[in-house]
Amino acid sequence: MAALPSDASERTYHRLQHTNEQALLLMDAPPDKSLGTPEFVVLSDKLLEKGIVAPEVVGKNLDQGFLLISDLGYKTAKAHLDVHPDDEIEVYEALTDLLLLTETITAPDLPVLDAKEAGDALAVTADFYLRDPTLTQPLADLMTEAYGLFCATDYTFALRDYHVENAIWRPDQAGLDRIGVLDFQDAVLAPKGYDLVSLLRDARRDLSDTLTVAMTARYVADHNLSAEFQPQFHCLALQRNLKILGIFARLALNPQKRRYLQFQSRVLRMVHEDTERLCWAPMTDVIRTHFPLDAHKK
């Protein structure tokens, strides 16, 4: 049994070999530290029903937080791109097409990332990145207003943390079977395009404007959306990456997770880029005042 690298959560994974030679993973998610294990089981079934490659749960002990799941492979999409950068367009086209399919999943009991929740979620940013709890409510109110203005759209299924480190790349397969989906237990109902933002405004990887524009155009064409989608994209990106600033700052309080600080400058840069492109004065004023590029907080 071999331990796999850990992520931002308290879950750990161990790869083991089953007696029938099928590779399996043991997920260890202590219920007192890691939520979402029961949701993982339900959502795995939802994904598999759509024909999406996701881990099949072959054994479970929810009381203790253990799942035995099928092993989708060894190499994430990010690991593949690190070695094969020329495959970037192929990988991102497949990932974009897959999220279009996941958006069609019906799961009405999921939490809803509505305007109020979008604002309230930034408490972590005020507390751990800005280190000023008095800004919690003003920041929440601003984001709630922004969501109301720019994200009044259909809500769809969103994996929530959809990016190249949470996807297994399987080049020996064809079509969407090339992608194995991981880390979906925190799925939500979110404004259309949330997973696209998660994929293209990635805290851990730089993407060219050319690639971002091309994948956004692919998404817009599939949904027959108008140019009005652009403000929604930038608003969703702002909410997500402002929250990530706070989450990574909180994680870095643990000496074993200080590596998350290396991503903060990229996230902050994207916050400023999306603020400029949203071009909404109240948001511009707050970002320039409290999130200056030349005074990056660690």
Side-chain angles (χ1 to χ4, degrees), residues 18 65 72 83 127-128 139 234 243 251 254:
H18 200 243
L72 303 183
V83 179
D127 289 345
F128 293 96
L139 198 57
H234 298 308
K243 181 181 176 181
L251 286 169
N254 180 340

Side-chain angles (χ1 to χ4, degrees), residues 44 46 56 82 125 130 132 197 224 233 238 248 252 258 270:
S44 174
K46 290 278 188 182
E56 180 183 359
D82 287 344
T125 310
L130 297 176
D132 186 352
V197 164
N224 195 27
F233 180 97
L238 267 171
F248 284 1
R258 288 188 61 79
M270 290 191 292

